[in-house]
Amino acid sequence: PTVELRQRKKPKSSENKESAKEEKISDTPVPERTPKYVLFQRFAKIFIGCLAAVTSGMMYAFYLSAYHERKFWFSSRQELEREITFQGDSAVYYSYYKDMLKAPSFERGVYELTHNNKTVSLKTINAVQQMSLYPELIASVLYQATGSSEIIEPVYFYIGIVFGLQGIYVTALFVTSWLMSGTWLAGMLTVAWFIINRIDTTRIEYSIPLRENWALPYFACQVAALTGYLKSNLNTYAERFCYLLMSASTYTFMMMWEYSHYLLFLQAVSLFLLNVFSVEQGDKVHEVYKIYIFALFLGYLLQFENPALLVSPLLSLVAALMLTKCLQLNVKKGTFVAKIMKVINFYLVCTLPVTLNIIIKMFVPHKENEHMLKFLEVKFGLNITKNFTMNWLLCQESLQTPSQDFFLRLTQSSLLPFYILVLIICLLSMMQVIFRRINGKSLKETVTIEDGRIGERPEIIYHVIHTILLGSLAMVLEGLKYIWTPYVCMLAAFGVCSPELWMTLFKWLRLRTVHPILLALILSMAVPTIIGLSLWKEFFPRLMTELTELQEFYDPDTVELMTWIKRQAPVAAVFAGSPQLMGAIKLCTGWMVTSLPLYNDDDLLKRNENIYQIYSKRSAEDIYKILTSYKANYLIVEDAICNEVGTMRGCRVKDLLDVANGHVVCEEGDKLTYSKYGRFCHEVKINYSPYVNYFTRVYWNRSYFVYKINTVISFQS
């Protein structure tokens, strides 16, 4: 007993000494200055970081503007030549922006777009809902409300907004990496990798008005706000700010892009898995679920009761998870009932989302994205089809698997090796967290550098899961690399600049020769500095060369065609041809067309397939019946499609048509079967009967042949 008493007295004496020392230290005037110094240091760090983030975004926006000017000589061209640079679906989006500016009032412009019967023949469409034209509505309002018509041309205002959004995109990635690593040096490295690999991070150079170019900057802002919201050591005001920013950006993102709810679904899955690994963040995760529900509800109302949002897997998943959360309330832990509830909860999480989605689809009429499901069946080998549309989609580069050049480019810029290193360390650290949870060990609320447990931080767990899900999809469809690669840049930059990640590695290696914390701090600054200097030396001269190198977009044949249509064709004429060309005609002339380069509508897809028959081996009478069924007055045959020499075997338009029409039997070694008709696009150029009975050539140049469709058929020998 006496020994025990002595042992108890020793700590008291040491505590008294320490308290005495603290009292002596408190008498000195040094601590009065320390809080002010720390506050100034934090303010300087935040100020410099914010300045660097905003500067990076602005510099990138200016770079895009300068590169676009050099590439197209935009300022020295006429309006028609500028509009031709918008190709495919981009031309359609920009044409509606022009229509809104021409409307006598905003209300009248919106009404004409929602009841549009001047674009596609024999079809009235709600263009705002079908094509997600909210960016064009907002841009037109801003252009007229700010009085910009007296200062800047509409096309410069439009592309300026998109380039500005790309600057916000880069800034949001900067902030996300900064929040994760604690240093704005990670943000600078993120921006450097993003710009160097921009051929794989964005499609802004090829097609400015794409929906993803409008939407992804808001998603990046949402991810940045979510990253801050998930941090454990966040004060109340910062948490509220992140929550409000996340709510606003989630809703805006959903309004800008029709496929946004699929991306949010992947995010919801990532948050669900985060909730499994980190129970402490359960309340925050379910607050994010409420944001999803609210955004889906508002989106459904403002997108003219869009059924795609009701049958979305996002709604089914979030509703199921919130329902299972309610069943877990008021159950004491460790009891027999709690164990049974865990089993029921696991069963509901696995089955309830699918059940809810099936039930909703039974009561909600929808035809949205059925072609997408058919495409996925063919893509993964679950079905075989000769359908022209499905095979044509499979041949598109964005829907192919990524090429080796993609991985080679990421490796040459040192992005892919560091990303794999960071991902492996974070995954192994997360596995440690799982084993600790299984063994019943409690996790720390706040993780410090000394702990070396990067996998316990909730925002890190979320980003690792999210990037794995996005990467898995990007390995199947190359077009999704534009969503995945920016977050590869962000995660790799965070890792090499994070002292916690290096400390986690040193904990495993049991480093003793050098103090691990000191070495981690040194490497977190030295490694990104070396990477930055090497990137500067190798890639900065290339970027400067791109800005100084004069390029030229030269397409005189298309300019001549559009000029002829505006001068010679009647105002009520309807043109038929390839969907890509029809989009350009809609923009440059305003004339009505038979089809559009849009692939989210079954009727438009069927129209595209029927109009493409002009490049098949069918009779003049069949083609005439198809064109007149859509009230077409003029037919445009493109020499580039008719005489196409494709690099990918079996992916030329005429090859796909021959397969769909049974003129080529693929199972018999691509042998031609009998067809008593020649290829229409070749035969119609020869001007002999019966082709001249149905079609009269009225204009041609090196690339295009325009035929007037005869209303009165004259049979000549």
Side-chain angles (χ1 to χ4, degrees):
T2 56
V3 175
E4 291 179 359
L5 288 172
R6 288 175 183 176
Q7 289 177 348
R8 289 173 185 172
K9 288 178 181 179
K10 284 181 182 179
K12 289 181 180 179
S13 61
S14 62
E15 288 176 4
N16 293 332
K17 290 179 181 180
E18 290 177 2
S19 61
K21 289 181 181 179
E22 289 177 359
E23 290 177 0
K24 290 180 180 179
I25 294 173
S26 62
D27 295 336
T28 59
V30 177
E32 295 179 2
R33 299 177 184 177
T34 303
K36 294 181 180 180
Y37 173 75
V38 172
L39 185 63
F40 175 78
Q41 189 178 20
R42 290 178 180 176
F43 175 78
K45 181 180 177 182
I46 294 174
F47 176 77
I48 295 174
C50 292
L51 183 63
V54 174
T55 303
S56 299
M58 293 178 62
M59 292 293 289
Y60 180 61
F62 290 143
Y63 170 80
L64 288 176
S65 179
Y67 180 78
H68 182 262
E69 174 64 27
R70 286 286 182 176
K71 184 177 180 180
F72 295 109
W73 286 37
F74 217 64
S75 60
S76 60
R77 292 188 175 276
Q78 300 296 325
E79 182 180 3
L80 178 59
E81 293 176 317
R82 292 175 182 173
E83 292 176 349
I84 288 176
T85 61
F86 298 101
Q87 298 182 350
D89 52 351
S90 298
V92 181
Y93 296 132
Y94 183 73
S95 69
Y96 287 119
Y97 168 71
K98 284 181 59 180
D99 293 343
M100 282 298 300
L101 295 181
K102 293 177 182 177
S105 64
F106 177 77
E107 293 79 7
R108 182 62 186 175
V110 173
Y111 178 82
E112 290 179 355
L113 292 186
T114 54
H115 303 78
N116 187 282
N117 58 359
K118 298 179 180 179
T119 300
V120 183
S121 60
L122 302 178
K123 188 176 178 67
T124 300
I125 60 175
N126 185 342
V128 178
Q129 177 188 2
Q130 190 163 346
M131 303 177 195
S132 300
L133 295 181
Y134 288 97
E136 282 68 32
L137 297 182
I138 295 172
S140 62
V141 168
L142 291 176
Y143 183 74
Q144 294 175 334
T146 56
S148 301
S149 56
E150 300 177 358
I151 305 172
I152 189 173
E153 297 180 48
V155 64
Y156 280 107
F157 186 83
Y158 184 87
I159 64 177
I161 292 178
V162 182
F163 290 158
L165 285 174
Q166 298 306 302
I168 295 175
Y169 191 5
V170 166
T171 301
L173 292 174
F174 184 110
V175 172
T176 306
S177 186
W178 180 14
L179 288 172
M180 294 171 65
S181 63
T183 172
W184 51 265
L185 191 61
M188 297 293 290
L189 187 57
T190 301
V191 174
W193 266 328
F194 181 91
I195 296 176
I196 289 170
N197 296 282
R198 71 187 187 284
I199 190 175
D200 300 309
T201 57
T202 178
R203 287 196 286 186
I204 188 68
E205 296 179 9
Y206 309 104
S207 189
I208 294 175
L210 284 180
R211 301 300 85 177
E212 63 191 60
N213 292 333
W214 287 89
L216 290 181
Y218 294 102
F219 182 66
C221 292
Q222 191 253 19
V223 171
L226 178 60
T227 303
Y229 184 69
L230 292 176
K231 290 178 73 70
S232 301
N233 55 347
L234 202 66
N235 60 57
T236 305
Y237 297 104
E239 186 175 311
R240 289 178 182 176
F241 173 76
C242 290
Y243 184 83
L244 293 175
L245 178 60
M246 184 168 47
S247 302
S249 54
T250 301
Y251 170 69
T252 309
F253 173 59
M254 188 167 292
M255 295 298 293
M256 292 291 174
W257 197 19
E258 59 183 318
Y259 299 120
S260 58
H261 55 91
Y262 292 110
L263 195 54
L264 292 175
F265 169 73
L266 292 179
Q267 189 181 71
V269 173
S270 305
L271 290 172
F272 164 69
L273 295 176
L274 166 65
N275 192 21
V276 173
F277 293 140
S278 179
V279 182
E280 293 78 8
Q281 298 296 322
D283 294 335
K284 287 186 176 181
V285 169
H286 281 80
E287 289 298 322
V288 180
Y289 291 162
K290 294 177 183 178
I291 294 176
Y292 291 152
I293 295 290
F294 182 70
L296 285 169
F297 176 72
L298 282 181
Y300 174 75
L301 293 180
L302 295 182
Q303 291 184 15
F304 308 93
E305 299 182 355
N306 186 4
L309 297 181
L310 293 182
V311 300
S312 167
L314 174 64
L315 179 61
S316 303
L317 176 66
V318 171
L321 293 176
M322 294 185 71
L323 181 60
T324 55
K325 175 70 174 179
C326 295
L327 295 177
Q328 289 179 324
L329 297 178
N330 300 324
V331 178
K332 294 183 179 180
K333 295 182 180 180
T335 62
F336 178 73
V337 178
K339 295 179 180 179
I340 295 178
M341 288 303 299
K342 282 186 177 181
V343 177
I344 297 175
N345 178 55
F346 177 78
Y347 174 77
L348 289 177
V349 168
C350 295
T351 59
L352 193 56
V354 179
T355 306
L356 283 177
N357 193 257
I358 294 174
I359 294 174
I360 293 173
K361 288 182 177 179
M362 290 174 60
F363 293 97
V364 177
H366 69 285
K367 293 183 179 179
E368 297 287 337
N369 303 322
E370 287 185 1
H371 60 281
M372 184 184 297
L373 297 177
K374 295 177 182 177
F375 165 78
L376 292 176
E377 290 180 0
V378 179
K379 176 71 176 177
F380 293 110
L382 301 177
N383 195 2
I384 299 176
T385 182
K386 292 184 179 180
N387 181 268
F388 169 80
T389 302
M390 290 296 106
N391 289 325
W392 185 83
L393 289 174
L394 286 171
C395 287
Q396 299 305 299
E397 184 179 355
S398 60
L399 300 178
Q400 298 286 324
T401 55
S403 62
Q404 294 181 355
D405 294 338
F406 167 60
F407 300 103
L408 183 61
R409 288 191 296 267
L410 297 188
T411 305
Q412 288 175 343
S413 63
S414 70
L415 173 60
L416 190 60
F418 282 107
Y419 168 73
I420 294 174
L421 174 64
V422 172
L423 188 63
I424 290 174
I425 294 175
C426 292
L427 278 175
L428 292 177
S429 183
M430 287 171 56
M431 295 299 294
Q432 285 185 327
V433 174
I434 295 173
F435 285 123
R436 289 195 188 98
R437 288 282 305 276
I438 294 174
N439 295 330
K441 295 181 180 180
S442 60
L443 304 179
K444 288 189 174 183
E445 293 184 2
T446 57
V447 182
T448 59
I449 299 178
E450 294 84 355
D451 297 327
R453 298 178 183 178
I454 193 75
E456 288 189 11
R457 290 173 54 187
E459 68 272 22
I460 305 302
I461 298 174
Y462 158 72
H463 278 288
V464 169
I465 298 173
H466 196 197
T467 190
I468 290 175
L469 293 178
L470 290 176
S472 301
L473 293 177
M475 295 304 103
V476 179
L477 302 174
E478 186 174 4
L480 294 177
K481 71 179 181 181
Y482 300 106
I483 302 175
W484 177 60
T485 312
Y487 294 97
V488 171
C489 300
M490 181 267 299
L491 193 68
F494 138 74
V496 298
C497 297
S498 173
E500 291 182 52
L501 186 131
W502 292 109
M503 191 63 193
T504 302
L505 180 61
F506 296 152
K507 280 281 188 179
W508 297 338
L509 299 176
R510 296 182 180 180
L511 188 65
R512 296 178 180 176
T513 55
V514 183
H515 198 284
I517 297 178
L518 179 61
L519 184 59
L521 292 172
I522 293 174
L523 287 179
S524 64
M525 297 183 65
V527 173
T529 302
I530 294 172
I531 296 173
L533 292 175
S534 63
L535 294 177
W536 178 278
K537 181 179 179 180
E538 183 176 356
F539 292 98
F540 183 74
R542 300 184 189 179
L543 297 177
M544 293 298 101
T545 303
E546 291 176 352
L547 292 181
T548 56
E549 186 177 86
L550 295 179
Q551 304 180 41
E552 186 173 5
F553 180 81
Y554 186 65
D555 192 1
D557 293 341
T558 305
V559 173
E560 292 175 3
L561 174 65
M562 300 303 167
T563 304
W564 180 87
I565 292 174
K566 295 173 73 173
R567 292 178 179 176
Q568 301 296 330
V571 176
V574 178
F575 284 83
S578 69
Q580 288 73 22
L581 181 60
M582 295 302 100
I585 290 177
K586 168 67 177 72
L587 169 60
C588 299
T589 67
W591 265 243
M592 192 176 293
V593 295
T594 56
S595 60
L596 289 174
L598 301 173
Y599 311 106
N600 58 354
D601 183 83
D602 292 335
D603 180 61
L604 287 177
L605 288 173
K606 187 63 179 177
R607 281 174 175 249
N608 293 344
E609 181 178 352
N610 289 336
I611 300 300
Y612 266 130
Q613 296 296 325
I614 62 179
Y615 301 104
S616 67
K617 295 180 178 181
R618 298 185 64 173
S619 66
E621 183 180 0
D622 290 344
I623 302 299
Y624 180 82
K625 288 180 179 179
I626 292 173
L627 297 176
T628 53
S629 67
Y630 296 119
K631 300 297 181 182
N633 304 117
Y634 291 89
L635 167 65
I636 304 177
V637 176
E638 297 175 62
D639 198 56
I641 300 178
C642 190
N643 299 318
E644 181 181 4
V645 182
T647 56
M648 189 179 298
R649 184 172 179 266
C651 277
R652 297 181 300 178
V653 169
K654 52 187 179 182
D655 295 337
L656 297 174
L657 289 169
D658 290 343
V659 171
N661 296 334
H663 297 152
V664 171
V665 181
C666 297
E667 294 79 8
E668 296 180 6
D670 290 354
K671 294 181 180 179
L672 292 173
T673 59
Y674 174 72
S675 177
K676 61 181 180 180
Y677 304 108
R679 198 168 301 279
F680 175 82
C681 63
H682 288 154
E683 300 296 326
V684 74
K685 297 177 184 178
I686 304 177
N687 285 335
Y688 69 91
S689 182
Y691 296 93
V692 293
N693 302 332
Y694 297 99
F695 307 97
T696 302
R697 187 166 62 189
V698 292
Y699 173 80
W700 70 93
N701 58 28
R702 292 176 300 177
S703 302
Y704 304 102
F705 294 81
V706 182
Y707 297 88
K708 188 178 187 304
I709 302 173
N710 299 330
T711 54
V712 179
I713 304 174
S714 59
F715 291 95
Q716 303 173 9
S717 57

